[in-house]
Amino acid sequence: ARARPFDGQYLGHEFFVKEHTKPLYNRHGIMNVFNLYIYHSINDVFKILKFRSPISIYGLFNLSTRIGKETLIVANTSPDSFIGRAGAMWNIDRQRLSVTEFTTSPSYIKATLKKIILDTQKVGEESEWNSLLNNLSQAYKNL
């Protein structure tokens, strides 16, 4: 049982054109790989700082002692390490997430950060990715 007649089986070059991924990502709420790294790094930093576990990694972060800045990480490591990069990303996004103390729930951080990232991905043309507009990493140019 053929779906179309035998002489209509030929599929031209227009059939093999790749579909744009941006509309699919936006429709289904999927993050691109660059934003996934940021999402997981910030979530991991928050959980490490909130639960102080694993203690070996928690000890590598230096938190600020200034009043009102208790969630700020003081940079003391190389920006080439996870601690340096993740700490810098955390310092930028803790303001967007309105985290002033570690009583905030991890689910709030996840939901809010995902909304920020998905909103960032929707900016610009509907079918073309723009690395300057659609990646949250542009906020971290010096990393």
Side-chain angles (χ1 to χ4, degrees):
R2 295 185 183 267
R4 52 183 166 246
F6 182 72
D7 49 325
Q9 293 290 324
Y10 176 75
L11 299 176
H13 63 85
E14 62 275 346
F15 179 78
F16 296 101
V17 174
K18 292 183 179 177
E19 189 174 358
H20 291 289
T21 56
K22 188 174 179 181
L24 292 172
Y25 279 39
N26 289 337
R27 187 177 324 123
H28 298 293
I30 301 171
M31 290 182 253
N32 66 31
V33 70
F34 304 106
N35 291 333
L36 265 176
Y37 171 75
I38 293 167
Y39 175 79
H40 285 291
S41 294
I42 292 171
N43 278 325
D44 289 346
V45 168
F46 177 74
K47 288 178 183 179
I48 290 168
L49 296 176
K50 179 178 176 75
F51 300 117
R52 300 179 182 198
S53 175
I55 195 71
S56 58
I57 297 177
Y58 175 76
L60 297 174
F61 289 107
N62 285 338
L63 293 174
S64 175
T65 57
R66 293 185 288 173
I67 296 174
K69 304 277 185 174
E70 292 86 4
T71 60
L72 182 70
I73 296 174
V74 179
N76 64 342
T77 59
S78 168
D80 293 333
S81 68
F82 171 76
I83 301 298
R85 282 188 184 158
M89 286 190 279
W90 170 255
N91 285 341
I92 292 170
D93 283 330
R94 72 180 187 82
Q95 295 169 337
R96 290 183 191 170
L97 298 168
S98 303
V99 177
T100 56
E101 53 189 29
F102 293 115
T103 58
T104 307
S105 71
S107 60
Y108 169 80
I109 297 295
K110 286 181 179 181
T112 307
L113 189 58
K114 186 171 183 177
K115 182 181 181 322
I116 290 170
I117 289 173
L118 292 177
D119 288 346
T120 302
Q121 284 185 180
K122 290 178 184 176
V123 175
E125 294 183 35
E126 185 175 316
S127 63
E128 294 294 323
W129 290 106
N130 183 338
S131 62
L132 297 174
L133 295 175
N134 301 128
N135 295 338
L136 198 61
S137 62
Q138 291 304 311
Y140 319 113
K141 290 179 188 174
N142 297 328
L143 300 180

